[in-house]
Amino acid sequence: MTTTLASRPPAPKPGRPATGGRQRRRALRWLPLTPATALLLLFLGGPIVYCVAIAFTDMQLTGSSSTSFVGLDNFRHAFQDEHFRNAVVLTLVFTVLSSLVGQNTLGLGLALLMRRASGPVRTLVGSLTIAAWVVPEIVAGFLLYAFFRDEGTLNAVLDWAHLPSQDWLYSAPIIAVSLANVWRGTAFSMLIYSAALAEIPREITEAAEVDGAGGWRRLWHITLPMIRRSIGTNLMLNTLQTLSVFGLIWAMTRGGPGNRSQTLPVFMYDQAFLKALIGYGTAVALLLLLIGALFAAVYLRLLRTEV
Amino acid sequence: MSTVTSPSLPAPSTPAAGQVAAPSAPSPRAARRTPTERRRWRRRVGVDLVLLAVAALFALPLVWLVLASVDAEADLRVGAPSPATTENFEAVWNEEITFRPMLNSLLLCGGATLLTVVCAALAAYPLSRYRSRLVRPYLLTVLFTTCLPVTAIMVPVYGLYVQVELIDSLLGTALFLAATQLPFAIWLMKNFMDGVPIALEEAAWTDGASWHQALVRIILPLMGPGLAVVTIYSFIMMWGNFFVPFMLLLTPDQLPASVTLFTFFGSRDSVVYGQLAAFSLLYSTPVILLYVLIARRLGGGFALGGAVKG
């Protein structure tokens, strides 16, 4: 729509325009939308279309001249490729552990506890979690690499508590990167839940308290149902966020050792660039994009029932 | 106010800021405490202890960063710096390691932020001011785009950039960064602009002002804090972005700080951890300061609300 508007000749300056002029002027009102739309179409729309196109080819980095259409081969190959299946499983583990269980539950827990805590403690916890969230991704990757390394802080703490230490990045790399993602992303859930909890009218919880409902029952029967929409939104956004984590994992483990922390984005990068299989890598990218689009669509539906 | 949020929304200040109503403080005079008060007090101490334990876990990596940066012989463990020193900072405080990458980051992210904010402000104007059947689908598409995992399209973007010869160009990278940030910026900007009453503009129109005069002279000044949030937030997101410049820029001289940091730390065997920590701190400082700036300015849930309404 906007592109056709953009190509129209400029409207005559004010005065009293005739009917045709007025129409042109009405169309021109949408002109300011063009730069943004052009940028989005060229740099986001373009790559997505291109993605769909080359996912069905055997394009390689070494020379695009030999590229040919291979139909669904890339996808067929993907589902038979044990490395791809490994990446899917690891992505699931990573998402469930770090986003569903970690960020979401810990964020809710912190938000609930902070309502009962004393002021300074609340400020301290808030600042620390948010600092972990604001620090750039690569710095976070570096910090948590140091934290989980064999000679790192975590093992120092475990030693001090007389618990068995281990080389986390070697023995449980996917757990380590999941915990790293929890460290980094919990502040977001905490902020969403704090805002949601602040909107529950006090009378409701107080009434339940008077009626003798204990803490857990109040949580289960009152608090959670009242913030269920925030829970939905938060889960959706966390999942989308977690699906596209690359830098953190790349900085900490590069998907290794072997491919034991190779989630889909890392696998995609590995295939497309290190193995130079652009076509195959793009097919993986397309699958990732589709999963993301699916979640995004659900998110929009959630919003629609709400706004 | 709705609590729905848009993706990766700018954070409001620490949730401590006025949002969370704590139970009233117990009286300092213990003798006059009722049993309920005493129970509440005990419960609060318990909650505080749990939270402090969590806070310690969140703090450890950050504490390590700060301590290692002033430790002459930093290793990977948290520990008091053996001799405290500024030599790590001195070692990285030069053109090669700090200034050029930071300047590159500034050029890249500053340029992209400028582009994002200008495009978003222009786009938000008609979306906020005029009625059309197309506004809602446009906004929904924008919101949908915000949610797409940008990581996924980096491979096709790379392929495309190689073909149109935008690879290894700061301009090309800035354009792509701007495009990725744009959907959320439009969404935020539109919602902030909705908050400016249209009556003031109507007065300006009567005086013969055109739409761009109204936008620049009346609306944007009135939505100053909103504009600041969109600008700073876009900048923070781009400053921390690693994957986009990592893929699209090749020449070492052009790399922004996020990528050079990774390159140093990628050659792990010969890493001087203290220097790396010092550089990480320098690189993180601008975004942390900027974050504090918007968080202070827009305490509470304002930014959250701004992200969704409409």
Side-chain angles (χ1 to χ4, degrees):
Chain A
M1 165 105 202
T2 36
T3 39
T4 52
L5 296 182
S7 59
R8 292 193 180 194
K13 264 295 186 188
R16 290 237 158 229
T19 350
R22 195 187 304 156
Q23 222 166 31
R24 205 176 304 151
R25 254 161 57 93
R26 278 170 68 96
L28 262 179
R29 300 199 305 192
W30 299 93
L31 194 68
L33 216 50
T34 26
T37 313
L39 210 57
L40 288 177
L41 285 179
L42 277 177
F43 290 92
L44 289 183
I48 291 176
V49 172
Y50 189 70
C51 182
V52 176
I54 53 176
F56 298 95
T57 70
D58 60 356
M59 186 189 268
Q60 306 210 346
L61 264 188
T62 38
S64 54
S65 52
S66 58
T67 301
S68 58
F69 183 76
V70 294
L72 289 173
D73 270 8
N74 285 326
F75 298 96
R76 217 171 289 140
H77 177 202
F79 291 113
Q80 285 164 1
D81 183 355
E82 60 172 300
H83 296 300
F84 175 78
R85 287 200 300 248
N86 169 62
V88 172
V89 171
L90 287 179
T91 309
L92 275 176
V93 172
F94 182 62
T95 312
V96 170
L97 269 187
S98 67
S99 158
L100 291 181
V101 179
Q103 295 176 357
N104 182 58
T105 314
L106 185 60
L108 178 60
L110 286 179
L112 283 167
L113 286 179
M114 276 164 76
R115 290 171 70 76
R116 303 230 164 125
S118 51
V121 173
R122 215 183 306 150
T123 314
L124 182 74
V125 176
S127 322
L128 283 171
T129 45
I130 289 176
W133 184 47
V134 174
V135 154
E137 190 178 19
I138 280 303
V139 175
F142 169 48
L143 290 184
L144 292 156
Y145 165 79
F147 185 71
F148 284 109
R149 265 297 296 263
D150 202 11
E151 61 274 28
T153 303
L154 177 59
N155 281 340
V157 173
L158 291 175
D159 281 343
W160 174 77
H162 298 290
L163 290 168
S165 60
Q166 53 186 307
D167 187 347
W168 295 94
L169 293 176
Y170 186 80
S171 61
I174 192 69
I175 310 262
V177 293
S178 300
L179 289 175
N181 197 37
V182 172
W183 184 81
R184 195 169 145 64
T186 299
F188 180 79
S189 308
M190 189 192 73
L191 289 168
I192 290 193
Y193 287 135
S194 291
L197 291 176
E199 279 181 21
I200 299 180
R202 284 193 78 72
E203 306 86 65
I204 296 183
T205 34
E206 270 161 17
E209 205 167 352
V210 171
D211 290 347
W216 289 111
R217 286 188 60 185
R218 282 205 305 272
L219 177 68
W220 191 252
H221 291 290
I222 296 170
T223 313
L224 289 185
M226 289 200 74
I227 60 167
R228 67 179 188 284
R229 285 183 174 147
S230 299
I231 297 177
T233 311
N234 183 49
L235 280 177
M236 206 58 63
L237 294 178
N238 273 345
T239 310
L240 281 164
Q241 184 67 39
T242 306
L243 263 184
S244 57
V245 169
F246 174 84
L248 190 67
I249 299 180
W250 192 248
M252 285 178 70
T253 66
R254 307 234 173 146
N259 54 12
R260 288 195 288 131
S261 59
Q262 196 175 50
T263 58
L264 276 173
V266 182
F267 177 74
M268 171 192 86
Y269 178 82
D270 182 60
Q271 294 296 317
F273 295 100
L274 306 184
K275 307 234 168 31
L277 302 169
I278 293 268
Y280 185 45
T282 313
V284 176
L286 188 60
L287 290 172
L288 198 57
L289 206 57
L290 286 176
I291 302 173
L294 199 71
F295 276 103
V298 176
Y299 171 60
L300 285 193
R301 290 236 37 113
L302 270 179
L303 271 188
R304 184 174 298 185
T305 53
E306 194 158 353
V307 183
Chain B
M1 188 187 78
S2 163
T3 48
V4 202
T5 50
S6 279
S8 54
L9 37 86
S13 66
T14 57
Q19 286 189 41
V20 188
S24 55
S27 152
R29 280 156 293 181
R32 289 181 57 185
R33 269 188 206 142
T34 63
T36 333
E37 269 179 337
R38 229 174 294 147
R39 202 167 50 230
R40 274 202 181 158
W41 186 80
R42 230 178 292 140
R43 198 173 60 184
R44 178 186 286 192
V45 172
V47 166
D48 280 358
L49 287 177
V50 173
L51 281 177
L52 283 175
V54 178
L57 283 175
F58 270 88
L60 276 175
L62 294 167
V63 170
W64 175 77
L65 180 70
V66 175
L67 290 179
S69 72
V70 293
D71 189 340
E73 280 152 31
D75 57 15
L76 288 169
R77 293 197 167 188
V78 169
S82 25
T85 166
T86 56
E87 66 188 43
N88 290 324
F89 284 97
E90 282 158 26
V92 299
W93 192 253
N94 56 45
E95 201 206 327
E96 162 94 27
I97 299 178
T98 301
F99 304 153
R100 198 169 48 210
M102 297 278 264
L103 184 68
N104 288 339
S105 284
L106 193 66
L107 283 176
L108 186 67
C109 307
T113 303
L114 192 69
L115 191 63
T116 307
V117 171
V118 170
C119 288
L122 285 174
Y125 183 78
L127 292 174
S128 167
R129 266 24 189 179
Y130 305 141
R131 309 244 157 275
S132 161
R133 271 175 297 121
L134 291 174
V135 167
R136 198 174 156 74
Y138 189 95
L139 281 172
L140 284 177
T141 315
V142 162
L143 190 60
F144 180 76
T145 319
T146 338
C147 297
L148 289 181
V150 172
T151 311
I153 60 171
M154 283 322 291
V155 173
V157 167
Y158 178 86
L160 216 50
Y161 265 41
V162 169
Q163 298 206 341
V164 299
E165 292 183 12
L166 268 177
I167 204 81
D168 199 23
S169 130
L170 271 180
L171 177 70
T173 312
L175 284 170
F176 182 70
L177 271 179
T180 56
Q181 203 51 48
L182 196 52
F184 190 59
I186 294 177
W187 188 254
L188 262 187
M189 193 78 92
K190 191 251 169 198
N191 290 317
F192 282 126
M193 211 174 270
D194 285 348
V196 178
I198 199 164
L200 293 159
E201 264 165 279
E202 280 166 350
W205 287 334
T206 333
D207 293 342
S210 62
W211 69 266
H212 46 90
Q213 283 169 325
L215 178 65
V216 173
R217 301 238 178 101
I218 297 170
I219 304 176
L220 291 183
L222 280 174
M223 54 178 281
L227 199 62
V229 168
V230 180
T231 311
I232 293 178
Y233 182 74
S234 304
F235 187 81
I236 292 179
M237 293 315 284
M238 292 173 189
W239 185 267
N241 195 313
F242 161 74
F243 202 23
V244 173
F246 176 64
M247 295 281 287
L248 301 182
L249 292 174
L250 313 168
T251 319
D253 280 359
Q254 299 199 71
L255 297 179
S258 56
V259 184
T260 55
L261 176 62
F262 175 76
T263 342
F264 289 136
F265 152 61
S267 55
R268 275 167 193 162
D269 300 329
S270 56
V271 168
V272 184
Y273 287 107
Q275 294 181 13
L276 201 52
F279 178 57
S280 303
L281 264 185
L282 290 174
Y283 162 55
S284 310
T285 308
V287 284
I288 293 175
L289 291 182
L290 283 175
Y291 180 83
V292 171
L293 201 69
I294 43 172
R296 283 267 167 84
R297 192 147 186 192
L298 299 169
F302 181 45
L304 281 168
V308 222
K309 277 278 174 131

